[in-house]
Amino acid sequence: MIHRAIAVNGPTLAFALTGALLLPGGCSRTVWLNQTKERTGNITMLFVNTTSADAGFTYGTWDEWDQSPGTVNMRQSSVPAFTASEVVTVPCARNAAIGTQPLVDRVLETKADDTDTFIPERFDTVVRFAQASSDSDAAGLPTAGTAKGVGLLLGVDYSCEDRIIFTFVEDPDAEGGYRIDYVVILDARQNE
């Protein structure tokens, strides 16, 4: 009988054992990818509104598993009908979202809404679409409908330095009459 031995250094063995222990015990592949992906740098976002209504929303990045609670990089925006926003750069984090309950929860937990620039009409678990003029009392309210928010994970949906393009689309079959599509443009350096 021939016995073969494989030499493995300590850190490699520890990493392999940790992975082997976590995956079967309830740690999903998604969690593993999200928690082990390098998190340095920024991501860029672009919002394209192909609808006939103005879109108002809150978006941001944060680390959901940081329950201290960690900070949230929250921003608010409005994109007029048939236009696109400027490209915005936000810190790369393990979660990126536009109009989701986890984003709203983190904003409230960290009191990131306690600023002079906070706009309540753009703060929701959905993207709001309005056809009211900007100087009316209904400006920013979902007079035309809503779109369900989108949450993405680092290592699963995007990597740091990628660009995420969110597109708002009128969709009579979607809850609220609108939907959000997205595409991730990979950082060119990943292919080098």
Side-chain angles (χ1 to χ4, degrees), residues 25-81:
C27 182
S28 71
R29 181 177 186 276
T30 298
V31 171
W32 176 259
L33 291 170
N34 178 247
Q35 293 301 300
T36 59
K37 183 69 174 174
E38 181 181 354
R39 185 186 60 101
T40 57
N42 298 303
I43 57 174
T44 57
M45 296 182 177
L46 175 67
F47 304 96
V48 180
N49 188 354
T50 66
T51 76
S52 60
D54 296 347
F57 53 93
T58 299
Y59 65 98
T61 60
W62 76 103
D63 292 335
E64 187 169 14
W65 285 52
D66 181 356
Q67 296 298 311
S68 39
T71 61
V72 60
N73 303 296
M74 181 201 72
R75 310 251 177 112
Q76 295 183 292
S77 188
S78 178
V79 181

Side-chain angles (χ1 to χ4, degrees), residues 74-99:
M74 181 201 72
R75 310 251 177 112
Q76 295 183 292
S77 188
S78 178
V79 181
F82 303 116
T83 65
S85 71
E86 297 290 325
V87 174
V88 292
T89 301
V90 295
C92 189
R94 302 218 177 271
N95 300 77
I98 174 174

Side-chain angles (χ1 to χ4, degrees), residues 157-163 184-191:
D157 301 305
Y158 65 92
S159 297
C160 294
E161 304 306 328
D162 287 351
R163 174 169 293 175
V184 175
I185 299 174
L186 302 178
D187 174 31
R189 292 174 290 181
Q190 290 182 31
N191 298 324

